[in-house]
Amino acid sequence: QVQLQESGPGLVKPSQTLSLTCTVSGGSINGDNYYWSWIRQHPGKGLEWIGYIYYSGITNYNPSLKGRITMAVDMSKNQFSLKLSSVTAADTAVYYCVRWEYGEGRPLDYWGQGTLVTVSS
Amino acid sequence: DIQMTQSPSSLSASVGDRVTITCRASQNIINYLNWYQQKPGKAPKFLIYAASSLRSGVPLRFSGSGSGTDFTLTISSLQPEDFATYYCQQSYGIPLTFGGGTKVEIK
């Protein structure tokens, strides 16, 4: 059973960089059909896809986040990470790391429990 | 971006009721449509993929249908554990996008 677990600071100051890591267990991050994604949910709101990284390092980011995103993968630790720069209060959200399975239907099949990140001084 | 429109945004129903939620895509997404269930304070849980295929372990009272731009999620007989928010999501184009959610509440 694949499990994902987010980790990182729960409080970030405005203008600083939000940094989160996702640790994958029960499966390898270097599977051919899997893209490792980040999704966020603003308090009481819907779901927003942030982007994905493939184990080879190929990335694809949501243009709405305007070049503030960097993702990386560490195969030796079976982890991937998210950095979001120049944060504002609008980036306060629950952040989920998610596996995107590139098979039939291409579902987001395994989710971390989520971590709340608050942007505040 | 592909816009996903869900309706209704909320509904009240009783245990045993048949519930139908609709999802419309702003362009043809073939069958790259997935459904998720989210309970308060929890991560979304993946229910249905490719519009109509049930994930292993998901109760048979859940079903999905549709193709192209119009899709539905049906719960044939609502159970107490089904009260939650449901989201559709398209995987045809990048960025991946979600519907706004349908909150199923107890009548």
Side-chain angles (χ1 to χ4, degrees):
Chain A
Q1 174 81 347
V2 174
Q3 293 185 321
L4 295 87
Q5 178 68 57
E6 305 89 353
S7 58
L11 181 64
V12 181
K13 288 181 168 32
S15 80
Q16 294 192 343
T17 296
L18 176 161
S19 295
L20 295 173
T21 297
C22 183
T23 301
V24 180
S25 58
S28 175
I29 206 165
N30 64 356
D32 284 345
N33 260 9
Y34 305 124
Y35 291 76
W36 303 94
S37 305
W38 291 94
I39 288 168
R40 69 181 183 179
Q41 187 169 35
H42 294 101
K45 302 295 185 183
L47 298 157
E48 179 184 25
W49 177 78
I50 298 171
Y52 70 67
I53 185 164
Y54 193 54
Y55 75 91
S56 64
I58 292 171
T59 56
N60 203 325
Y61 303 145
N62 194 326
S64 70
L65 289 160
K66 296 175 187 172
R68 297 193 291 134
I69 309 170
T70 303
M71 294 184 187
V73 64
D74 184 338
M75 283 197 287
S76 68
K77 295 181 180 178
N78 226 35
Q79 293 177 335
F80 62 105
S81 62
L82 167 70
K83 291 188 188 300
L84 180 64
S85 63
S86 306
V87 297
T88 70
D91 295 308
T92 293
V94 175
Y95 287 75
Y96 297 101
C97 59
V98 186
R99 190 179 83 169
W100 184 30
E101 200 251 318
Y102 211 75
E104 187 181 359
R106 304 175 193 163
L108 297 153
D109 61 352
Y110 287 96
W111 296 63
Q113 66 185 23
T115 187
L116 174 64
V117 179
T118 302
V119 179
S120 175
S121 54
Chain B
D1 298 5
I2 299 172
Q3 307 302 317
M4 306 300 294
T5 304
Q6 267 181 258
S7 61
S9 56
S10 66
L11 64 90
S12 295
S14 301
V15 172
D17 284 353
R18 180 182 182 89
V19 168
T20 298
I21 298 167
T22 65
C23 180
R24 175 165 288 177
S26 60
Q27 67 181 74
N28 184 357
I29 59 169
I30 309 177
N31 72 336
Y32 290 101
L33 188 284
N34 308 300
W35 289 98
Y36 304 84
Q37 176 194 67
Q38 186 178 33
K39 296 184 178 178
K42 300 293 188 183
K45 174 185 165 185
F46 153 49
L47 297 177
I48 288 174
Y49 64 100
S52 60
S53 296
L54 211 60
R55 183 187 194 181
S56 175
V58 173
L60 294 178
R61 61 182 180 273
F62 289 92
S63 64
S65 64
S67 66
T69 60
D70 294 308
F71 303 87
T72 59
L73 171 69
T74 299
I75 309 171
S76 60
S77 178
L78 200 64
Q79 297 301 299
E81 60 268 31
D82 301 337
F83 292 95
T85 299
Y86 294 84
Y87 292 95
C88 61
Q89 174 259 325
Q90 66 80 21
S91 285
Y92 180 79
I94 294 292
L96 305 184
T97 50
F98 294 83
T102 296
K103 187 173 184 179
V104 177
E105 299 176 298
I106 301 172
K107 184 184 282 185

